[in-house]
Amino acid sequence: VLPKHIAIIMDGNGRWAQAKARPRTFGHIKGARVAKSIITACAKKKIEYLTLYAFSTENWLRPANEVVFLMTLLRRYLKKETDTLVRQNIRFQVVGDMNRIPTDILKAIQYATEITKNNTGMTLVFALSYGARQELSLAVQKLAQQVQSGNLLPSEIDESLIQSNLQTYSMPDPDLIIRTSGEQRLSNFFLWQAAYSELYFTDTLWPDFKDFDLDLAIIDFLKRKRRFGKIEEIHENSAH
Ligand code: IPE
Ligand code: IPE
Ligand code: MG
């Protein structure tokens, strides 16, 4: 069956531009265009959840001009594409530390989230200013507060309680995580949620990633045997 939730670590914009002797920003512009195309492709395939890792907590440490440019791209995307999301029946959400997002962008995010919240098609999640360790730290803080206020016993903290205190509480875990650009790491993305995700790495740089490359990733996923620690079910023939 098709993955219910696909998550993509969109990497390689800078190297793509560099290879063309252009500024890194040029790669980000092309990357944003590719993201648009992949969103539409996933919605057409009736993928239920698509998460795009667009900006990590560590990405704040990049030079200020690059950070500002990425925020500008995001602002532009939200302004131009919120209508498209409505039209495509896509439900828009974000995960990440919104405290660090510029106010006007945050407003645009809230607007896009609100106006699409009852859409019944694909859920599109932007991971923005997102770091899995930060998400987990916040979940631990919330649980500690409940313990301190006497509403929770430490022994009651289990996997489902931790899960329900993550920002992704309402989403299924990603079935397939794609990372472009040849790097084979998670870079602080979905550390908890990726426990049993299928990982797919491609050398293709994100600005070169085509709908066809998405098909290749999905075809590869369909060949995987997911065991979740168990052994494969043997369908015994009732002949004996
Ligand atoms: C991914 O491309 C986009 C973001 C992380 C925002 P990069 O900007 O990381 O490009 P490379 O990895 O330097 O080529
Ligand atoms: C991961 O890419 C973050 C996003 C794609 C948004 P990076 O380029 O930041 O990751 P590293 O630094 O190569 O691990
Ligand atoms: Mg990178």
Side-chain angles (χ1 to χ4, degrees):
V1 291
L2 279 180
K4 195 171 174 173
H5 181 180
I6 297 178
I8 308 182
I9 302 172
M10 309 181 289
D11 197 14
N13 294 351
R15 277 164 283 168
W16 182 85
Q18 224 162 6
K20 295 182 152 44
R22 301 291 298 270
R24 294 176 57 84
T25 49
F26 184 64
H28 293 316
I29 293 172
K30 180 71 200 305
R33 215 175 298 150
V34 169
K36 248 170 58 180
S37 169
I38 294 301
I39 291 166
T40 303
C42 284
K44 274 205 188 124
K45 288 184 200 299
K46 306 241 182 291
I47 300 297
E48 288 180 45
Y49 287 81
L50 172 66
T51 300
L52 298 178
Y53 196 15
F55 196 89
S56 72
T57 47
E58 288 74 32
N59 288 151
W60 288 111
L61 300 171
R62 292 190 179 195
N65 63 336
E66 179 161 345
V67 170
V68 166
F69 188 84
L70 286 166
M71 291 300 140
T72 303
L73 267 186
L74 177 60
R75 185 182 285 115
R76 220 183 281 164
Y77 174 83
L78 290 165
K79 199 169 168 192
K80 277 182 55 188
E81 299 303 324
T82 299
D83 286 350
T84 318
L85 297 177
V86 172
R87 227 178 314 118
Q88 293 184 328
N89 193 24
I90 291 173
R91 185 165 64 141
F92 179 77
Q93 294 177 354
V94 289
V95 291
D97 181 5
M98 292 305 123
N99 293 323
R100 301 182 73 175
I101 300 290
T103 319
D104 68 312
I105 299 184
L106 191 58
K107 285 215 180 98
I109 289 171
Q110 285 162 345
Y111 176 72
T113 305
E114 181 61 28
I115 201 169
T116 64
K117 73 174 182 203
N118 293 322
N119 284 355
T120 54
M122 184 176 80
T123 300
L124 169 66
V125 183
F126 276 12
L128 285 178
S129 187
Y130 174 86
R133 287 179 170 179
Q134 186 182 42
E135 180 188 35
L136 281 159
S137 305
L138 288 173
V140 171
Q141 282 183 20
K142 283 195 252 169
L143 292 171
Q145 273 157 8
Q146 290 183 49
V147 170
Q148 193 182 34
S149 62
N151 295 320
L152 181 67
L153 292 171
S155 59
E156 289 171 329
I157 298 174
D158 60 6
E159 292 181 17
S160 78
L161 202 56
I162 292 175
Q163 204 285 127
S164 62
N165 279 279
L166 297 175
Q167 286 193 311
T168 56
Y169 67 93
S170 64
M171 298 158 51
D173 287 341
D175 302 294
L176 171 62
I177 297 180
I178 298 171
R179 182 167 188 154
T180 58
S181 89
E183 308 299 353
Q184 305 194 359
R185 54 175 172 259
L186 289 174
S187 299
N188 203 7
F189 180 62
F190 278 3
L191 298 184
W192 174 277
Q193 298 86 340
Y196 274 102
S197 301
E198 297 297 328
L199 307 180
Y200 179 87
F201 300 105
T202 170
D203 286 339
T204 304
L205 302 171
W206 179 249
D208 284 329
F209 196 81
K210 305 274 183 300
D211 292 5
F212 177 69
D213 296 293
L214 174 69
D215 293 342
L216 290 182
I218 292 174
I219 288 166
D220 196 84
F221 170 85
L222 293 173
K223 287 191 284 207
R224 308 276 180 101
K225 293 240 178 318
R226 305 185 80 190
R227 284 182 288 271
F228 300 99
K230 304 168 195 162
I231 57 173
E232 261 176 83
E233 270 176 57
I234 300 157
H235 298 284
E236 294 226 24
N237 203 309
S238 52
H240 54 94

